[in-house]
Amino acid sequence: MGRLRPRAFVRMGVIPVTAVIVIAGALVTAGCDRGSPPPTSTAVRDTADQVLYDITMDLSIDGVRRIRLEADSVYNYQSSQIADLLGVRVQFYTPAGGLSSTVTSIEGTYNYHTEDMEARGDVVAVTPDGRRLTTEVLRYSRAQGTITGPEAFVYDSPDQHLEGDGFTSDPDFRDVLATRPREGRVTGDR
């Protein structure tokens, strides 16, 4: 049987150990804001079952890509089948596969069960032919094939300007209907 040898320990003097503790304590307290109370609850994102970064996901109908979802970060929750998204970009495609619109936002939510999406924060929707809609909240219902917004919005196209406090639209933003219009004008023939 081999002989056990005692482990070698390096003994630091009292002063170097004390100096390390004081420096570490100073660094820890320097980053604290003594004026704010400690957090009292855990952030929802801390409970995610899975976290993904820089994702791209394509949704197809009858073998044709209809939606491309890109996000900087995704927080998946298995029990609710919900994903929280940060840095969102969604591209909608026509049944023939051509790009119909692109929506960007700061954050959003995706429901894996219903395939519905919600974009929140600096939401901008643009189309290849120059239509643009801005709002703070935009919701896509896959079952209805509609986009709605419960908040104030501004819509501009080459021949139309519309503002209101809510809207319903197709994913191509060709038929935008204000639920509570504030201003609108048509400039030219349609």
Side-chain angles (χ1 to χ4, degrees):
M1 210 181 241
R3 188 170 173 200
L4 294 175
R5 295 184 181 167
R7 294 184 182 162
F9 291 98
V10 177
R11 182 175 167 98
M12 293 182 73
V14 174
I15 294 175
V17 171
T18 305
V20 169
I21 292 171
V22 169
I23 291 170
L27 290 174
V28 168
T29 58
C32 295
D33 179 5
R34 295 180 192 268
S36 59
T40 57
S41 65
T42 303
V44 174
R45 290 188 178 120
D46 288 346
T47 64
D49 297 305
Q50 183 181 43
V51 180
L52 305 169
Y53 299 99
D54 293 326
I55 68 110
T56 299
M57 181 173 63
D58 289 326
L59 302 171
S60 300
I61 299 173
D62 297 327
V64 177
R65 178 176 56 194
R66 296 299 304 275
I67 298 171
R68 170 168 275 182
L69 171 64
E70 299 172 354
D72 294 338
S73 303
V74 177
Y75 298 86
N76 285 315
Y77 305 94
Q78 290 178 355
S79 62
S80 63
Q81 293 292 297
I82 298 288
D84 283 334
L85 314 165
L86 296 177
V88 181
R89 177 183 166 99
V90 180
Q91 295 173 310
F92 292 93
Y93 293 86
T94 65
L99 180 65
S100 65
S101 64
T102 301
V103 176
T104 57
S105 69
I106 293 173
E107 64 180 5
T109 305
Y110 177 74
N111 184 312
Y112 287 101
H113 180 70
T114 63
E115 297 180 0
D116 292 346
M117 292 177 239
E118 180 176 274
R120 296 179 303 277
D122 293 332
V123 181
V124 178
V126 295
T127 64
D129 62 353
R131 292 183 303 273
R132 178 182 173 94
L133 185 136
T134 58
T135 188
E136 284 300 309
V137 177
L138 183 143
R139 296 180 182 133
Y140 169 72
S141 168
R142 185 184 181 296
Q144 296 175 353
T146 59
I147 293 178
T148 58
E151 306 249 343
F153 75 96
V154 175
Y155 171 76
D156 286 300
S157 72
D159 62 350
Q160 190 176 9
H161 174 82
L162 183 61
E163 295 181 28
D165 292 325
F167 70 92
T168 302
S169 176
D170 61 303
D172 297 337
F173 295 98
R174 290 196 186 282
D175 297 313
V176 178
L177 175 64
T179 53
R180 292 173 303 281
R182 284 188 274 156
E183 180 183 333
R185 64 183 171 274
V186 176
T187 57
D189 298 327
R190 279 190 98 177

